[in-house]
Amino acid sequence: MLTTFSDFTSIPVLWLQIAITAIWVLLILLIAWVVNRFADKPEIVRKIVHIGTGNVILLAWWLDIPASVGITASILASAITLLSYRLPILPGINSVGRQSFGTFFYSVSFGILVASFWYLQKPQYAALGILIMTWGDGLAALIGQRFGRHKYKVFGTQKSWEGSLTMMLVSYFISILILVGTQGNSWQTWLISLVVAFIATVLEAFSFLGIDNLTVPLGSAALAFFLSQLVLNY
Protein backbone atom coordinates (compact mmCIF):
# COMPACT_ATOMS: atom_id res chain seq x y z
CA MET A 1 0.00 0.00 0.00
CA LEU A 2 2.78 2.43 0.92
CA THR A 3 4.65 1.60 -2.24
CA THR A 4 1.55 2.20 -4.34
CA PHE A 5 0.90 5.55 -2.69
CA SER A 6 4.51 6.57 -3.17
CA ASP A 7 4.34 5.67 -6.84
CA PHE A 8 1.15 7.69 -7.22
CA THR A 9 2.60 10.81 -5.61
CA SER A 10 5.68 10.56 -7.82
CA ILE A 11 3.58 11.07 -10.96
CA PRO A 12 4.31 14.51 -12.47
CA VAL A 13 1.64 17.09 -11.62
CA LEU A 14 1.04 17.87 -15.29
CA TRP A 15 0.10 14.28 -16.07
CA LEU A 16 -2.27 14.18 -13.10
CA GLN A 17 -3.91 17.36 -14.36
CA ILE A 18 -4.30 15.91 -17.84
CA ALA A 19 -5.61 12.62 -16.43
CA ILE A 20 -8.29 14.34 -14.34
CA THR A 21 -9.59 16.40 -17.26
CA ALA A 22 -9.42 13.42 -19.63
CA ILE A 23 -11.42 11.28 -17.21
CA TRP A 24 -14.08 14.00 -17.00
CA VAL A 25 -14.37 14.28 -20.79
CA LEU A 26 -14.51 10.50 -21.22
CA LEU A 27 -17.23 10.28 -18.56
CA ILE A 28 -19.32 12.88 -20.41
CA LEU A 29 -18.83 11.06 -23.72
CA LEU A 30 -19.80 7.77 -22.07
CA ILE A 31 -23.00 9.27 -20.70
CA ALA A 32 -23.78 10.74 -24.12
CA TRP A 33 -23.14 7.37 -25.79
CA VAL A 34 -25.47 5.58 -23.36
CA VAL A 35 -28.24 8.14 -23.95
CA ASN A 36 -27.73 7.93 -27.71
CA ARG A 37 -27.70 4.13 -27.62
CA PHE A 38 -30.79 3.56 -25.51
CA ALA A 39 -32.86 6.75 -25.67
CA ASP A 40 -32.22 7.85 -29.27
CA LYS A 41 -32.56 11.55 -28.44
CA PRO A 42 -29.90 13.32 -30.52
CA GLU A 43 -30.69 16.81 -29.19
CA ILE A 44 -30.28 15.62 -25.59
CA VAL A 45 -27.02 13.92 -26.58
CA ARG A 46 -25.73 17.14 -28.09
CA LYS A 47 -26.57 19.14 -24.99
CA ILE A 48 -24.96 16.58 -22.68
CA VAL A 49 -21.73 16.91 -24.65
CA HIS A 50 -22.13 20.68 -25.06
CA ILE A 51 -22.68 21.37 -21.36
CA GLY A 52 -20.56 18.57 -19.94
CA THR A 53 -17.39 19.21 -21.91
CA GLY A 54 -17.66 22.97 -21.47
CA ASN A 55 -17.20 22.57 -17.73
CA VAL A 56 -13.65 21.37 -18.42
CA ILE A 57 -12.72 25.06 -18.32
CA LEU A 58 -13.44 25.02 -14.58
CA LEU A 59 -11.09 22.08 -14.10
CA ALA A 60 -8.44 23.82 -16.19
CA TRP A 61 -8.81 26.96 -14.05
CA TRP A 62 -8.91 25.10 -10.75
CA LEU A 63 -5.96 22.83 -11.57
CA ASP A 64 -4.01 25.68 -13.21
CA ILE A 65 -3.40 23.61 -16.29
CA PRO A 66 -0.77 25.16 -18.60
CA ALA A 67 -2.09 27.06 -21.60
CA SER A 68 -0.17 24.76 -23.94
CA VAL A 69 -2.28 21.81 -22.82
CA GLY A 70 -5.55 23.65 -23.41
CA ILE A 71 -4.43 24.92 -26.80
CA THR A 72 -3.26 21.46 -27.88
CA ALA A 73 -6.55 19.93 -26.76
CA SER A 74 -8.43 22.60 -28.70
CA ILE A 75 -6.45 21.91 -31.89
CA LEU A 76 -7.04 18.16 -31.60
CA ALA A 77 -10.75 18.60 -30.88
CA SER A 78 -11.10 21.04 -33.79
CA ALA A 79 -9.42 18.59 -36.16
CA ILE A 80 -11.64 15.73 -35.00
CA THR A 81 -14.81 17.78 -35.38
CA LEU A 82 -13.79 18.84 -38.90
CA LEU A 83 -13.28 15.18 -39.82
CA SER A 84 -16.63 14.33 -38.25
CA TYR A 85 -18.42 16.42 -40.86
CA ARG A 86 -17.09 13.97 -43.47
CA LEU A 87 -16.86 10.77 -41.44
CA PRO A 88 -19.26 9.34 -38.82
CA ILE A 89 -16.84 9.97 -35.95
CA LEU A 90 -19.29 11.83 -33.71
CA PRO A 91 -22.74 10.42 -34.50
CA GLY A 92 -25.59 12.34 -32.93
CA ILE A 93 -23.42 15.31 -31.97
CA ASN A 94 -23.26 17.15 -35.28
CA SER A 95 -26.73 16.17 -36.45
CA VAL A 96 -28.68 19.34 -35.73
CA GLY A 97 -31.02 19.17 -38.70
CA ARG A 98 -29.30 22.09 -40.46
CA GLN A 99 -25.91 23.01 -41.81
CA SER A 100 -23.78 24.00 -38.84
CA PHE A 101 -20.13 24.21 -37.86
CA GLY A 102 -21.04 24.84 -34.23
CA THR A 103 -19.02 21.95 -32.79
CA PHE A 104 -15.91 23.12 -34.65
CA PHE A 105 -16.37 26.74 -33.55
CA TYR A 106 -16.92 25.54 -29.98
CA SER A 107 -13.53 23.79 -29.97
CA VAL A 108 -11.78 26.76 -31.58
CA SER A 109 -13.20 29.24 -29.06
CA PHE A 110 -11.83 27.18 -26.17
CA GLY A 111 -8.29 27.38 -27.55
CA ILE A 112 -8.49 31.10 -28.32
CA LEU A 113 -9.76 31.97 -24.87
CA VAL A 114 -7.17 29.84 -23.08
CA ALA A 115 -4.38 31.26 -25.23
CA SER A 116 -5.53 34.82 -24.56
CA PHE A 117 -6.47 34.89 -20.90
CA TRP A 118 -4.03 32.34 -19.52
CA TYR A 119 -1.29 34.55 -20.99
CA LEU A 120 -2.81 37.59 -19.25
CA GLN A 121 -3.17 35.57 -16.04
CA LYS A 122 -6.90 36.28 -16.08
CA PRO A 123 -8.40 32.78 -16.50
CA GLN A 124 -11.71 33.90 -15.02
CA TYR A 125 -12.63 35.64 -18.26
CA ALA A 126 -11.96 32.51 -20.31
CA ALA A 127 -14.16 30.58 -17.89
CA LEU A 128 -16.87 33.24 -18.13
CA GLY A 129 -16.95 33.08 -21.93
CA ILE A 130 -17.00 29.31 -22.15
CA LEU A 131 -19.59 28.84 -19.39
CA ILE A 132 -21.95 31.43 -20.88
CA MET A 133 -21.80 29.46 -24.12
CA THR A 134 -22.00 26.12 -22.31
CA TRP A 135 -24.90 26.77 -19.97
CA GLY A 136 -26.57 29.80 -21.52
CA ASP A 137 -26.83 28.52 -25.06
CA GLY A 138 -27.39 24.92 -23.96
CA LEU A 139 -30.30 25.69 -21.66
CA ALA A 140 -31.72 28.32 -24.02
CA ALA A 141 -32.00 25.70 -26.76
CA LEU A 142 -33.67 23.17 -24.47
CA ILE A 143 -36.12 25.67 -22.97
CA GLY A 144 -36.84 27.22 -26.35
CA GLN A 145 -37.65 23.87 -27.94
CA ARG A 146 -39.77 22.70 -25.03
CA PHE A 147 -41.58 25.86 -24.00
CA GLY A 148 -40.91 28.36 -26.79
CA ARG A 149 -44.27 29.68 -27.96
CA HIS A 150 -43.30 33.15 -29.12
CA LYS A 151 -41.05 32.86 -32.17
CA TYR A 152 -38.90 35.29 -34.10
CA LYS A 153 -36.39 34.89 -36.91
CA VAL A 154 -32.87 36.24 -37.41
CA PHE A 155 -31.33 35.64 -40.85
CA GLY A 156 -33.71 32.75 -41.39
CA THR A 157 -32.91 31.06 -38.07
CA GLN A 158 -35.94 30.62 -35.84
CA LYS A 159 -35.59 31.57 -32.19
CA SER A 160 -38.01 32.00 -29.31
CA TRP A 161 -38.30 34.79 -26.78
CA GLU A 162 -38.48 32.15 -24.04
CA GLY A 163 -35.14 30.72 -25.13
CA SER A 164 -33.55 34.17 -25.42
CA LEU A 165 -34.79 35.11 -21.95
CA THR A 166 -33.23 31.92 -20.61
CA MET A 167 -29.95 32.84 -22.32
CA MET A 168 -30.07 36.30 -20.73
CA LEU A 169 -30.79 35.06 -17.20
CA VAL A 170 -28.26 32.23 -17.24
CA SER A 171 -25.56 34.48 -18.73
CA TYR A 172 -26.23 37.09 -16.05
CA PHE A 173 -26.07 34.50 -13.27
CA ILE A 174 -22.77 33.07 -14.54
CA SER A 175 -21.25 36.53 -14.97
CA ILE A 176 -22.26 37.53 -11.45
CA LEU A 177 -20.83 34.35 -9.92
CA ILE A 178 -17.47 34.68 -11.64
CA LEU A 179 -16.99 38.46 -11.54
CA VAL A 180 -18.19 38.97 -7.96
CA GLY A 181 -16.12 35.97 -6.88
CA THR A 182 -12.92 37.29 -8.48
CA GLN A 183 -13.17 41.08 -8.27
CA GLY A 184 -15.54 41.78 -5.41
CA ASN A 185 -19.14 42.76 -4.91
CA SER A 186 -19.91 46.23 -6.26
CA TRP A 187 -22.65 47.87 -8.28
CA GLN A 188 -20.20 48.23 -11.17
CA THR A 189 -19.68 44.46 -11.27
CA TRP A 190 -23.43 43.84 -11.33
CA LEU A 191 -23.82 46.38 -14.14
CA ILE A 192 -20.96 44.84 -16.15
CA SER A 193 -22.59 41.43 -15.76
CA LEU A 194 -25.89 42.81 -17.05
CA VAL A 195 -24.24 44.33 -20.14
CA VAL A 196 -22.31 41.11 -20.81
CA ALA A 197 -25.49 39.03 -20.49
CA PHE A 198 -27.39 41.29 -22.87
CA ILE A 199 -24.66 41.27 -25.54
CA ALA A 200 -24.26 37.49 -25.19
CA THR A 201 -27.99 37.08 -25.81
CA VAL A 202 -27.83 39.29 -28.90
CA LEU A 203 -24.84 37.35 -30.25
CA GLU A 204 -26.60 34.04 -29.59
CA ALA A 205 -29.55 35.18 -31.70
CA PHE A 206 -27.24 35.42 -34.73
CA SER A 207 -26.50 31.71 -34.85
CA PHE A 208 -26.37 30.92 -38.57
CA LEU A 209 -23.94 28.07 -39.34
CA GLY A 210 -23.29 27.73 -35.61
CA ILE A 211 -21.21 30.92 -35.53
CA ASP A 212 -22.63 31.77 -32.09
CA ASN A 213 -20.38 29.06 -30.65
CA LEU A 214 -17.51 31.37 -31.55
CA THR A 215 -18.98 34.85 -31.14
CA VAL A 216 -20.71 34.28 -27.80
CA PRO A 217 -17.74 32.99 -25.78
CA LEU A 218 -15.21 35.34 -27.40
CA GLY A 219 -17.52 38.35 -27.27
CA SER A 220 -18.61 37.73 -23.68
CA ALA A 221 -15.08 37.20 -22.38
CA ALA A 222 -13.63 40.18 -24.24
CA LEU A 223 -16.45 42.50 -23.17
CA ALA A 224 -16.22 41.44 -19.51
CA PHE A 225 -12.45 41.94 -19.58
CA PHE A 226 -12.45 45.38 -21.22
CA LEU A 227 -15.33 46.70 -19.11
CA SER A 228 -13.64 45.48 -15.95
CA GLN A 229 -10.41 47.16 -17.03
CA LEU A 230 -12.23 50.36 -17.90
CA VAL A 231 -14.51 50.64 -14.87
CA LEU A 232 -12.68 48.75 -12.14
CA ASN A 233 -9.10 48.65 -13.45
CA TYR A 234 -9.12 44.94 -12.60
Side-chain angles (χ1 to χ4, degrees):
M1 176 66 72
L2 291 177
T3 301
T4 303
F5 180 77
S6 177
D7 291 341
F8 177 77
T9 55
S10 67
I11 299 175
V13 173
L14 176 60
W15 287 108
L16 285 175
Q17 293 171 329
I18 294 174
I20 291 172
T21 54
I23 289 171
W24 174 262
V25 172
L26 290 174
L27 178 61
I28 295 301
L29 293 177
L30 177 61
I31 294 172
W33 179 84
V34 171
V35 173
N36 187 56
R37 176 70 175 80
F38 296 101
D40 190 27
K41 294 184 179 295
E43 184 60 26
I44 298 298
V45 171
R46 287 186 63 252
K47 294 311 173 186
I48 289 174
V49 175
H50 182 90
I51 294 174
T53 56
N55 288 310
V56 166
I57 194 68
L58 290 176
L59 285 175
W61 182 12
W62 175 53
L63 296 172
D64 195 22
I65 288 178
S68 58
V69 175
I71 296 169
T72 300
S74 171
I75 292 172
L76 291 175
S78 300
I80 291 172
T81 53
L82 279 179
L83 285 174
S84 72
Y85 292 115
R86 293 288 183 180
L87 303 173
I89 299 175
L90 302 173
I93 295 178
N94 289 324
S95 57
V96 296
R98 64 183 186 276
Q99 186 180 15
S100 174
F101 296 98
T103 309
F104 170 70
F105 290 139
Y106 192 51
S107 303
V108 170
S109 65
F110 190 97
I112 293 175
L113 288 176
V114 168
S116 301
F117 291 106
W118 255 244
Y119 173 76
L120 294 173
Q121 297 184 344
K122 301 286 187 181
Q124 65 267 30
Y125 297 108
L128 181 147
I130 291 295
L131 292 178
I132 283 179
M133 188 68 238
T134 295
W135 286 98
D137 178 73
L139 293 178
L142 292 176
I143 295 297
Q145 291 172 10
R146 180 66 180 84
F147 301 104
R149 297 292 182 268
H150 303 87
K151 308 291 185 180
Y152 67 94
K153 284 189 176 183
V154 179
F155 291 141
T157 301
Q158 183 168 276
K159 296 285 183 176
S160 72
W161 288 108
E162 291 83 357
S164 292
L165 178 60
T166 300
M167 177 70 183
M168 178 82 173
L169 293 175
V170 173
S171 299
Y172 187 55
F173 180 70
I174 289 170
S175 298
I176 285 295
L177 282 180
I178 293 178
L179 296 182
V180 168
T182 56
Q183 55 198 46
N185 187 9
S186 66
W187 69 266
Q188 293 97 329
T189 299
W190 288 78
L191 180 59
I192 289 171
S193 298
L194 181 61
V195 174
V196 169
F198 175 75
I199 296 301
T201 303
V202 172
L203 291 173
E204 193 274 336
F206 294 86
S207 57
F208 59 94
L209 298 179
I211 194 67
D212 57 319
N213 280 358
L214 187 65
T215 58
V216 169
L218 298 188
S220 300
L223 183 61
F225 172 73
F226 286 117
L227 288 179
S228 295
Q229 291 286 305
L230 180 65
V231 176
L232 300 172
N233 193 30
Y234 191 89

